[in-house]
Amino acid sequence: MNKTRQVDLGTPASSGADAVTVEIDGLPATVKAGSSILRAARESGVDIPKLCATDSVKPFGSCRMCLVEIDGRNGYPASCTTLVEAGMKIRTQTEALSRLRRNVMELYISDHPLDCLTCSANGDCELQDMAGAVGLRDVRYGFDGENHLDAPVDDSNPYFQFDASKCIVCSRCVRACDEVQGTFALTIEGRGFKSKVSAGIGENFLDSECVSCGACIQACPTATLMEKSIVDHGMPDHKVVTTCAYCGVGCSFQAEMKGEQVVRMTPYKDGQANHGHSCVKGRFAWGYASHRDRVMQPLIREKTSDPWREVSWDEAIGYAAKRFKEIQAEHGRKSIGGITSSRCTNEEVFVVQKLVRAAFGNNNVDTCARVCHSPTGYGLKTTLGTSAGTQPFDSVMDADVIIVIGANPTVAHPVFASQMKRRLREGAELIVVDPREIGLVRSPHVEAAHHLPLLPGTNVPVINALAHVIVAEGLVDEDYVRERCDVDSFDAWKAMILKPENSPEEVANVSGVDADNIRAAARLYGKARNGAIYYGLGVTEHSQGSTMVMGMANLAMATGNLGRSGVGVNPLRGQNNVQGSCDMGSFPHELAGYRPVAEDSVRHQFENHWGVTIDPEPGFRIPNMFDAACAGEFKGMYIQGEDLAQSDPNTHHVEAALSSMECIVVQDLFLNETAKFAHVFLPGTSFLEKDGTFINAERRINRVRPVMKAQQGKDEWQISQELSVAMGYPMHYDNAAQIMDEIAELTPTFNNVSFAFLDDVGSVQWPCNDAAPMGTPIMHIDQFVRGKGLFVETDYEPTKERTNRKFPLLLTTGRILSQYNVGAQTRRTANNVWYGEDLLEVHPHDAETRGIRDGELVALASRKGDITLRARITTRVKPGVVYTTFHNPETGANVVTTEYGDWATDCPEYKVTAVQIAPASHRSGWQEEFAARAEQQGKIVETN
Ligand code: SF4
Ligand code: SF4
Ligand code: SF4
Ligand code: FES
């Protein structure tokens, strides 16, 4: 049998609390009430044969393989659909049962190609296993009659194939698509002998609604649905459990290997964030790790107009250290800084921020969270006391009303979206606050009770209006507020929120959302037994990002929706380790655990441990670094896994800043856009080579385990350590576990964390210390971390970015499912088949008045710059709003975005840019320059 196959208990776990004792084949078995007999038997070590049942979906009872005998009952009930009852006496192996099962198997096998030896599922096929289990030796019915053996193979999907000749029509795939993924892409078409699995009438998988999550493949007991990587390379021989390196859901996967080669990634059933589910990125889009574009040798060059020169690690690190020291000698200690990466492990991040503080001697360290969730840190810390979300993902299963604000979970956090959709199908109500009609607003069996299609930039008035209704209509949980919150702050907030400008009618004028719609949504949330808020970058990436985060915390406190399961304020954090990179002390004003660098006691703890003096002055944030660079005061940057040139706003300004620096060191997998401005390139490692931890959006610390050694010769923490040593500050880590030990020692919320502990318990949510030895799934249970919850007044200060006659439309940006962020990884996979270029969504009305046609080039211009891209005419956006993604560097979406940012954290206002659009016939000037630079970039002189 395949050595990587995960345990299958036949039917889902029962949620029942009581225990029931039955007798199975003469032995007592105690299981949860509500368990199926099949599951009870399997939990007790008795494998009843099965085909149509699997523990990820509800039982169906169609194959008749799992029949049992029960004392006192007639016939042979299916054990997958029959629940245990106290005292039941069950027999799973009798002569009659064997005969029945053999008969069933004979029928299956008589319409199945008997090519087991050459089948890609050989050794991992449940049909093959069952034939063995029931002792099938002979098939009485020949293959002469009508059969499906010539059914065609659908190999349209880049990652898996559908070989209909091997299908036993058990419908596990259909149920997985419905129940686990919630896409409802598959059906069983036809009846009886003619029944077959269909991905849509006359459609192949690629053209269907299928989103390639892989749930059906996972569920399929035969080789019908099969990964192409397995067809090509054969079955894996070992596995390593690790964590996906894409989004903040933090799914656990089995990397399934043949020797040092990964042949498949399968979602890990014991993964506490994903419970065995996945999306197309984590499941399939890992090929970038071995893409030919990956740089394997360090590179240096004197000037950015020179070709790159391949050098040894020692030369590259020595050169970077020498240049940084020279710059500091000439321009001062604060003239250089570093950026940590939310793609890297906590351990790698921790070493970089330590390098900056201890070896560079300043606090000029920042992270890409600056441009995504820094307002979350500020807003939740101010109101509740902790810079992180309040709930585990599983909490959503207890929510009755769910508000999704400025997030598009089905594309950006797909596995969590599937879980949320499950809860919605069970009856929870949904409110979507978003300028666009995102997928959640209307999808199979899910429909939002209210969609509030607000104008970009008007989150704060809308949250204030929701609060206004709740306060005005007596929906405040007064007891909760009096007991748990700072009452003075509540009274001040209440007075502010009741001002006429916060009424739904007034806010309707500002936001474009109908007042009745706001009122109805407020009542729904305000009256919910459990109301939960989930939000994303559509909240934070505004000039009022922090105000809005606090507005949501105010609303949740006012309604008593914090501190238990089913409620909370939950950021859907973007990158795999954005939570961790913040936790690790990547901000210029905070050391690990969000403790101020300006506070003597905090600094002294680190100083004593590190044997160095730490600057008490907070350092530069990323935008400050760019401004100082343009002013000639900031000259060098060490950039770990972050493509600033593509991902930061106002590209012209970013490029001017990067061009002005004397030494930029980029550490990455690929020569990214920022590397075009770099002098030293240090090749990084993919997640498959990393040893460490990532922290997901629910504060869960997950292990990342190496499945192969560092392909370019060094772990990333080693590279940073060697740079530190070369700069004159010694570091002595032998492995990543030692780094985590130091993090745990220096960070109160991580005190009990170690690799050994995580390997033992699987994963844990911080805080994890003596007060919470097994971690803290739900925050603020008895009291808020800051003591009393603080209400903060959230007066609306509109953005300075305004529409006018020249720029009458509002541009907002977002993501799609198959690409990820700046696309460095996904663009180097077959995911391009779904989305090869960034498109501009335009409402038909705006398109018509400008003569823009679907699929044609349009010029998109703002006060900052202009680009061209293709139009997609759609009513998903409302008139006056256009929308695009930023996955492709050649599009240059950030050429048009502005330098405005959140008042508290400088998080850029990506979501609101005043623009104009017009038909176009050629690329913009910036795009021409980009193409020229791309040509230069590729030049490498090999010297070793
Ligand atoms: S494709 Fe697989 S899971 Fe789906 S019905 Fe056929 S055999 Fe069953
Ligand atoms: S890959 Fe996912 S979405 Fe596609 S058919 Fe299978 S279960 Fe459904
Ligand atoms: S949901 Fe996120 S973490 Fe999970 S597989 Fe997809 S990209 Fe990876
Ligand atoms: S496994 Fe129970 S009827 Fe198929």
Side-chain angles (χ1 to χ4, degrees):
M1 183 174 120
N2 170 22
K3 295 179 190 140
T4 64
R5 192 190 283 179
Q6 299 183 57
V7 172
D8 181 356
L9 294 171
T11 60
S14 160
S15 55
D18 298 337
V20 168
T21 299
V22 295
E23 192 182 288
I24 301 173
D25 294 337
L27 293 172
T30 302
V31 295
K32 274 190 185 173
S35 299
S36 69
I37 292 175
L38 178 65
R39 186 169 179 114
R42 289 196 163 220
E43 281 180 1
S44 315
V46 177
D47 273 357
I48 301 174
K50 67 173 186 65
L51 274 175
C52 69
T54 186
D55 59 11
S56 61
V57 295
K58 291 188 204 119
F60 193 55
S62 71
C63 75
R64 312 296 295 163
M65 282 295 290
C66 67
L67 309 181
V68 290
E69 293 177 11
I70 302 173
D71 275 11
R73 291 210 189 170
N74 291 333
Y76 305 95
S79 63
C80 62
T81 50
T82 309
L83 303 187
V84 289
E85 286 171 20
M88 239 180 195
K89 288 190 168 50
I90 302 150
R91 277 181 304 283
T92 72
Q93 301 293 346
T94 66
E95 193 42 50
L97 289 171
S98 296
R99 203 172 45 248
L100 285 167
R101 288 175 187 150
R102 265 199 302 275
N103 286 347
V104 172
M105 275 309 294
E106 261 189 282
L107 288 169
Y108 277 122
I109 295 297
S110 68
D111 191 9
H112 197 84
L114 295 182
D115 57 357
C116 292
L117 284 183
T118 53
C119 175
S120 54
N122 189 13
D124 190 23
C125 171
E126 291 183 41
L127 192 69
Q128 195 180 40
D129 295 347
M130 288 309 112
V134 303
L136 189 70
R137 300 283 170 265
D138 199 14
V139 177
R140 285 169 291 170
Y141 324 106
F143 294 97
D144 304 338
E146 216 182 340
N147 59 46
H148 299 88
L149 302 182
D150 294 325
V153 176
D154 173 358
D155 64 356
S156 58
N157 187 289
Y159 296 117
F160 62 88
Q161 68 177 34
F162 173 71
D163 181 350
S165 72
K166 296 186 170 161
C167 181
I168 58 171
V169 202
C170 65
S171 107
R172 276 163 60 161
C173 54
V174 179
R175 286 175 284 148
C177 191
D178 297 355
E179 296 173 29
V180 179
Q181 166 56 22
T183 292
F184 296 82
L186 302 178
T187 48
I188 301 282
E189 202 181 283
R191 320 201 97 201
F193 177 80
K194 291 199 182 328
S195 51
K196 61 173 189 180
V197 172
S198 164
I201 298 163
E203 278 181 338
N204 58 29
F205 269 80
L206 187 64
D207 298 331
S208 73
E209 296 291 310
C210 166
V211 292
S212 299
C213 71
C216 55
I217 307 164
Q218 188 86 341
C220 182
T222 65
T224 314
L225 281 159
M226 179 59 82
E227 298 89 350
K228 287 182 177 173
S229 58
I230 295 294
V231 176
D232 291 345
H233 302 292
M235 281 292 159
D237 52 40
H238 67 284
K239 64 185 177 189
V240 177
V241 175
T242 189
T243 305
C244 177
Y246 279 111
C247 87
V249 177
C251 296
S252 297
F253 276 87
Q254 285 191 168
E256 302 189 7
M257 318 277 299
K258 263 176 109 75
E260 277 225 331
Q261 185 187 16
V262 179
V263 293
R264 174 163 69 182
M265 295 288 281
T266 50
Y268 185 50
K269 285 172 142 182
D270 288 338
Q272 287 147 306
N274 58 321
H275 305 298
H277 191 34
S278 59
C279 84
V280 59
K281 293 186 285 281
R283 179 75 151 94
F284 296 116
W286 38 269
Y288 69 87
S290 53
H291 193 275
R292 63 180 180 280
D293 285 354
R294 206 172 142 187
V295 181
M296 291 299 186
Q297 183 93 22
L299 308 170
I300 62 175
R301 58 185 174 184
E302 295 282 325
K303 302 192 296 296
T304 54
S305 53
D306 293 343
W308 286 108
R309 197 158 57 83
E310 287 190 333
V311 294
S312 67
W313 277 106
D314 283 350
E315 186 176 347
I317 289 170
Y319 181 80
K322 177 170 139 306
R323 291 297 297 121
F324 281 155
K325 284 197 278 191
E326 286 168 355
I327 290 170
Q328 284 190 307
E330 192 181 340
H331 300 280
R333 186 166 45 87
K334 300 194 178 183
S335 59
I336 63 171
I339 307 295
T340 69
S341 172
S342 296
R343 325 286 305 145
C344 289
T345 63
N346 292 307
E347 295 70 21
E348 291 164 339
V349 165
F350 185 82
V351 173
V352 170
Q353 63 85 37
K354 181 174 174 179
L355 160 83
V356 171
R357 299 185 201 277
F360 292 5
N362 61 45
N363 291 307
N364 291 337
V365 62
D366 209 350
T367 184
C368 40
R370 173 71 50 215
V371 299
C372 65
H373 267 288
S374 49
T376 289
Y378 180 90
L380 294 184
K381 177 136 191 193
T382 305
T383 48
L384 313 178
T386 297
S387 298
T390 61
Q391 311 295 121
F393 290 135
D394 289 353
S395 160
V396 77
M397 299 312 285
D398 291 323
D400 302 304
V401 173
I402 298 167
I403 307 188
V404 175
I405 308 181
N408 192 355
T410 48
V411 307
H413 301 85
V415 165
F416 175 62
S418 290
Q419 188 176 25
M420 183 188 280
K421 282 162 81 174
R422 250 192 323 280
R423 179 65 192 140
L424 293 169
R425 291 197 301 274
E426 286 175 1
E429 302 265 26
L430 174 67
I431 299 164
V432 173
V433 183
D434 200 287
R436 292 169 72 232
E437 189 177 309
I438 58 168
L440 270 182
V441 172
R442 202 164 289 106
S443 64
H445 304 283
V446 168
E447 182 155 2
H450 304 285
H451 174 210
L452 278 48
L454 75 184
L455 280 170
T458 62
N459 284 327
V460 169
V462 168
I463 203 82
N464 284 347
L466 291 170
H468 180 99
V469 175
I470 280 166
V471 174
E473 299 193 2
L475 296 174
V476 168
D477 186 338
E478 298 284 349
D479 292 345
Y480 184 95
V481 171
R482 301 283 151 207
E483 193 187 319
R484 304 265 324 244
C485 304
D486 179 298
V487 175
D488 290 345
S489 70
F490 172 75
D491 291 340
W493 173 77
K494 183 175 168 182
M496 182 274 307
I497 222 73
L498 285 175
K499 285 186 199 162
E501 72 240 36
N502 291 321
S503 70
E505 287 69 22
E506 288 296 319
V507 167
N509 296 329
V510 180
S511 66
V513 183
D514 180 66
D516 289 343
N517 204 5
I518 296 176
R519 267 185 204 288
R523 287 173 187 146
L524 186 61
Y525 176 76
K527 291 178 184 171
R529 194 172 54 91
N530 284 333
I533 299 175
Y534 294 88
Y535 70 95
L537 303 180
V539 158
T540 53
E541 290 175 345
H542 285 84
S543 59
Q544 323 81 2
S546 292
T547 312
M548 179 61 184
V549 172
M550 294 189 289
M552 294 183 300
N554 290 336
L555 190 67
M557 285 189 287
T559 50
N561 276 314
L562 282 160
R564 62 180 185 278
S565 188
V567 298
V569 180
N570 302 288
L572 295 173
R573 307 205 65 151
Q575 309 207 57
N576 53 323
N577 197 34
V578 67
Q579 180 70 54
S581 72
C582 298
D583 301 340
M584 291 301 106
S586 294
F587 290 131
H589 65 299
E590 282 171 340
L591 287 151
Y594 305 96
R595 285 166 306 147
V597 72
E599 211 170 289
D600 291 347
S601 60
V602 171
R603 222 173 41 255
H604 292 159
Q605 188 197 7
F606 285 81
E607 287 176 339
N608 291 338
H609 204 288
W610 292 352
V612 70
T613 304
I614 297 175
D615 188 344
E617 282 276 310
F620 285 147
R621 296 170 173 179
I622 294 173
N624 307 135
M625 293 184 201
F626 290 154
D627 291 346
C630 289
E633 292 156 13
F634 190 76
K635 294 287 181 185
M637 236 176 165
Y638 174 47
I639 305 168
Q640 176 194 37
E642 160 83 344
D643 196 356
L644 297 169
Q646 194 187 345
S647 60
D648 281 42
N650 191 357
T651 304
H652 290 302
H653 181 58
V654 174
E655 290 182 352
L658 294 173
S659 312
S660 74
M661 287 191 227
E662 292 176 9
C663 181
I664 292 181
V665 178
V666 167
Q667 186 166 310
D668 211 298
L669 294 179
F670 307 107
L671 283 167
N672 58 17
E673 297 314 305
T674 311
K676 290 175 182 164
F677 302 88
H679 307 84
V680 181
F681 185 87
L682 304 174
T685 53
S686 77
F687 78 112
L688 295 170
E689 297 140 62
K690 291 185 191 296
D691 190 10
T693 53
F694 292 153
I695 302 178
N696 76 355
E698 42 166 17
R699 292 170 282 104
R700 186 179 299 285
I701 311 169
N702 270 315
R703 281 283 278 124
V704 185
R705 297 184 180 85
V707 305
M708 59 183 77
K709 63 181 188 310
Q711 298 294 288
Q712 31 52 301
K714 270 189 204 303
D715 290 325
E716 290 211 33
W717 60 264
Q718 255 179 318
I719 301 170
S720 311
Q721 169 163 295
E722 288 179 21
L723 181 60
S724 181
V725 173
M727 293 281 297
Y729 176 75
M731 293 189 195
H732 307 285
Y733 304 113
D734 296 321
N735 53 53
Q738 289 176 356
I739 305 171
M740 176 47 87
D741 291 344
E742 183 174 315
I743 295 165
E745 196 176 333
L746 290 171
T747 315
T749 42
F750 285 69
N751 278 163
N752 277 18
V753 180
S754 68
F755 282 13
F757 177 70
L758 293 171
D759 291 343
D760 196 30
V761 301
S763 66
V764 75
Q765 287 170 271
W766 67 254
C768 177
N769 46 30
D770 286 347
M774 296 309 290
T776 312
I778 299 173
M779 299 291 291
H780 317 295
I781 289 183
D782 296 320
Q783 63 165 14
F784 291 103
V785 170
R786 74 177 298 283
K788 296 285 184 188
L790 185 73
F791 283 83
V792 177
E793 292 172 52
T794 51
D795 290 301
Y796 176 48
E797 178 80 36
T799 172
K800 295 195 187 74
E801 176 73 357
R802 303 287 168 89
T803 53
N804 61 12
R805 261 191 8 193
K806 194 165 173 210
F807 300 108
L809 304 172
L810 283 174
L811 167 73
T812 191
T813 58
R815 300 176 177 190
I816 55 138
L817 172 68
S818 54
Q819 296 291 346
Y820 193 74
N821 212 350
V822 294
Q825 296 147 292
T826 45
R827 282 186 287 105
R828 292 181 170 93
T829 69
N831 279 23
N832 286 337
V833 75
W834 290 287
Y835 199 79
E837 63 179 294
D838 296 307
L839 301 171
L840 186 74
E841 291 187 1
V842 184
H843 189 273
H845 173 76
D846 292 326
E848 195 184 330
T849 54
R850 292 167 175 80
I852 291 168
R853 285 206 289 264
D854 195 52
E856 293 193 349
L857 270 187
V858 282
L860 172 72
S862 75
R863 294 179 178 94
K864 292 293 157 190
D866 61 290
I867 57 172
T868 56
L869 66 178
R870 280 178 208 289
R872 172 182 283 166
I873 315 290
T874 170
T875 53
R876 286 184 75 165
V877 287
K878 56 199 253 175
V881 176
V882 291
Y883 166 90
T884 190
T885 52
F886 53 94
H887 299 305
N888 289 292
E890 57 272 26
T891 311
N894 281 322
V895 169
V896 298
T897 54
T898 72
E899 72 278 21
Y900 296 128
D902 173 43
W903 60 271
T905 65
D906 284 334
C907 181
E909 190 165 51
Y910 292 110
K911 303 295 182 187
V912 189
T913 309
V915 295
Q916 177 59 294
I917 57 174
S921 55
H922 53 78
R923 292 191 293 195
S924 73
W926 181 88
Q927 286 165 325
E928 295 291 347
E929 279 171 37
F930 176 92
R933 267 206 309 263
E935 205 168 310
Q936 167 69 16
Q937 169 78 338
K939 291 187 183 147
I940 294 177
V941 180
E942 292 189 18
T943 57
N944 289 336

